Amino acid sequence: QNPDPDISRYRSEVNLQLAKVKYANGQTAEAIQMLNDKALDKILQCDRQDQELANLMERLEGDNLAFSFARYTLQATEWMVESGLQSGSEAIERYEILSTIAPKWERAHYKYAKYLDSVLESRINVVASQNGGSADNESSRASIIKEEKACHKYIFAAMKEYIEALKIGQKHVFQALPRMLTLWFDFTAILDGDDEMGTIQDEANAFVVKHMKAIPAISFYSVLPQLISRIGHKDEDTVTVVCAMLRRLLFKFPAQALWQLSWLRQSIHEDRRKKGDDIFRVAQKNLRKNEDMAMHDLLETSKNLVEFLINLAKYTPKKSDQRTINIHSNAWKGKVDLKEFLPPVQGALNVSSSSGSFANRDAFPMQVPRMRAFSPTVHVMASKARPKKLSAFAIAEGTKVSESARDVNKAQPSDIGEIHFLVKREAKGDLRKDARVQDFNTVINRLFANAAGSQSAERGHHRRLKLRTFSVVCLSEECGILEWVPNTDSFRNTVSKSYNPHASHFSARRRGRRITNFQDAALRNSFLQCQEQYIKHGNLTKAAQDFNDVMLKEYPPVFYWWFVRNFQDPHKWFEARTRFALSAAAWAAVGHVIGLGDRHSENILLDTSCGECVHVDFDCIFDKGLNLPRPEVIPFRLTPNMLDGFGPTGAEGAFTGGLKSAMAMLRDNRDILLSVLDPFLRDPVIDWKRQRHKEKENSEIAPNSNVESDEAKRSIRVIDERLRGIYNLKNPNSKKIKRVDRKMQDSHDEMASMLPLSVEGQVHKMIAEATSHENLVQIYVGWMPWL
């Protein structure tokens, strides 16, 4: 008599969990042995067309054990590969069996694709080594892929398995789809030079076209920036396919996609403009054919709205001290009302994580406030770029607005509030970087949320970790509209408003504005004199000592009292201080991993209603802060006033606990983060080297792709090392400035810094480097290292 199927499944689950415990304890062989089923050995010995194989499969299906068997096989195969017990054709054969046993299991296809991807990379590395070259060199890599037939096989096989996973479900969409597209883009970008390679590249394009419609359109919405970046791809057929994907997205999700696609029509490059116009024209034609005239008119009118916002961003008031400008009620008027447009905010444009289905329009929030009219008063910010704060009167979705109130640019009874934006022009920076970093931070928040729901020991901190993000929509190469983050003030201003009530009324140390007054020549000169001890005289020990004596002791921190003054209820005070520490920890972890620089006191904001940190301006990323005239040689900002804000324990409390939790989560999800970052770094539209002004002088769509790709590989390697526990932030001053106070760093120190650390060890190293007086005294005076 056959055992109860439920009992069999429970036994299988218990056996699997016991095997995982053994594997975690280092008993790899025993764990694999527990999962290696006799049926698998029989299946491996059978021919694919053999009747015995069919009988075995039928028996597994009949006993409802096929899925349990597939789980055993996949887990054992992964462990074999990780431990080096099996690889190559044997592992591929096991993955092929999985495809036969569980053809509708998304995870099996995704893991198989990842393995094929790793085999491809290994093959390229081996051939490059045999040729005396390096796989990191893009020209060498392209040559190997072109010549090696095995590489073609692995690329097509990996693409096929990624696509199969995406057809079945969306659990791995944020890793599988970007990687599949990267494989495709890189392969078709290889200059063929012969008919055979060109034919294979045509097959790759045809392969993507064949399977494109089987993947839900909403999946491609998640990689919209990556698709837009390849509008200038080297292969014309690939561009044709990309444009078809973009037209499909604009047709399916016109209200959301128009904001991300509009910048193509405003590009300084003629080719991008033509392609952007064509994408909108075809989408409008299809909407008209589908009798969706409301969306057709929305797309038609969107160009005028974007041009209005660009002109506002570019406008420079005649008077340098002018803080407001007035716009007429008819400053913008289109074929459709403003309320028909979704506001460019994250809540409206991002796929809802709570939607569950992740299927088409249901994936977006159902109810989003709309903009009735723009406020007549536009505030001009005091910063150098003179960005403008634009406000719109908000109404609930579906609210009927009378003809008379439609264009009235003052508050109406039907209004539910205001929506605020920042429109700005970046002459030297690139808002597309900010937009891509916000996309990456959204992925990080999903991982934080998943970790919070896990059974990890640190789940208490995981529940509280989150990056505050906001929408960044590019309107052209140099203009954009940003979602306004309410209730925020810069870290510098909050310190300036702080004061120590316990200090004497006549004490110079009582008020924070004394520390933040950059106009104070004595303050600046005191720091510069400390810095000169190292920059000019090479005595870093003396510079650090002077920094402590002249700056830190004379200008003690006061930020602790800002929380006491602003949150007088004890519970709210403790909650705000904890939130400040944990949000600072989350940003510190992510900022260090991706090399986020330029963290001066104006680029870190505080939500004054709850104490949460918000970071802005992501132009200086991937360790570009090390290339500044005064390199930013610390992993993140952890200056005296920040430590003061954490409370009496300083860094040794909620901050350290949060940082450990954040780093553990990032390291546990290393593969996911690298797969998401790889297409970001390979984006040919964005110049990660902060040289965007050269783009105006160059009519080409993309810069030198080989140089950019080599730079991307170096950045990925640096990030990968940090996710493995290696502290690799190298101070360029150590080679440029000869120290006289002690010997230079020797080779033993260099080797020691290359060793991976535990999470705790990495966290302590990061905090030590961030608070080191020797590091802080080297930073640019405008960064205010004493603050």
Side-chain angles (χ1 to χ4, degrees), residues 337-349:
D337 294 334
L338 186 62
K339 70 182 181 68
E340 301 301 328
F341 287 91
L342 283 175
V345 297
Q346 275 195 334
L349 303 184

Side-chain angles (χ1 to χ4, degrees), residues 561-577:
W561 297 103
W562 182 85
F563 288 94
V564 175
R565 182 184 177 194
N566 282 270
F567 303 96
Q568 297 184 7
D569 177 86
H571 175 74
K572 290 181 179 178
W573 162 78
F574 182 77
E575 182 67 21
R577 206 179 66 180

Side-chain angles (χ1 to χ4, degrees), residues 18 88 101 108 123 126 144 223 239 261 367 394 449 456 471 502 527 612 658 730 747 754 779:
L18 287 172
I101 299 168
R123 177 79 180 180
V126 168
I144 292 168
V223 292
V239 173
L261 284 165
Q367 294 291 326
S456 64
S471 172
H502 288 188
F527 176 77
E612 186 178 17
K730 296 179 180 177
S747 58
M754 296 168 65
I779 300 176

Side-chain angles (χ1 to χ4, degrees), residues 338-339 341-348 368-375 377 389-397 415-422 471 481-486:
L338 186 62
K339 70 182 181 68
F341 287 91
L342 283 175
V345 297
Q346 275 195 334
V368 177
R370 299 301 181 107
M371 304 174 289
R372 179 181 58 79
F374 290 123
S375 170
T377 304
K389 182 183 178 183
L390 176 67
S391 302
F393 299 109
I395 56 173
E397 186 172 354
D415 296 345
I416 58 172
E418 291 185 356
I419 305 175
H420 305 288
F421 309 98
L422 190 73
S471 172
I481 180 168
L482 289 73
E483 181 179 357
W484 186 267
V485 186

Side-chain angles (χ1 to χ4, degrees), residues 542-611:
K542 181 72 165 60
Q545 185 62 51
D546 288 353
F547 176 69
N548 181 63
D549 295 340
V550 176
M551 300 302 298
L552 302 187
K553 288 183 179 179
E554 288 299 314
Y555 301 91
V558 293
F559 193 48
Y560 172 90
W561 297 103
W562 182 85
F563 288 94
V564 175
R565 182 184 177 194
N566 282 270
F567 303 96
Q568 297 184 7
D569 177 86
H571 175 74
K572 290 181 179 178
W573 162 78
F574 182 77
E575 182 67 21
R577 206 179 66 180
T578 303
R579 184 172 288 194
F580 171 64
L582 292 178
S583 60
W587 278 109
V590 175
H592 172 60
V593 167
I594 64 174
L596 179 59
D598 201 23
R599 296 301 89 196
H600 59 72
S601 56
E602 298 284 348
N603 278 344
I604 299 177
L605 310 182
L606 253 75
D607 187 328
T608 55
S609 66
C610 64

Side-chain angles (χ1 to χ4, degrees), residues 626-676:
L626 294 175
N627 299 328
L628 297 171
R630 286 283 180 268
E632 203 164 318
V633 296
I634 39 88
F636 45 79
R637 188 179 190 102
L638 196 60
T639 46
N641 275 281
M642 291 193 72
L643 293 169
D644 197 50
F646 298 153
T649 59
E652 297 299 324
F655 178 80
T656 296
L659 189 53
K660 286 179 182 177
S661 297
M663 286 306 303
M665 187 280 295
L666 295 175
R667 289 173 62 162
D668 288 344
N669 293 279
R670 182 176 62 86
D671 289 341
I672 293 175
L673 296 176
L674 292 176
S675 66
V676 172

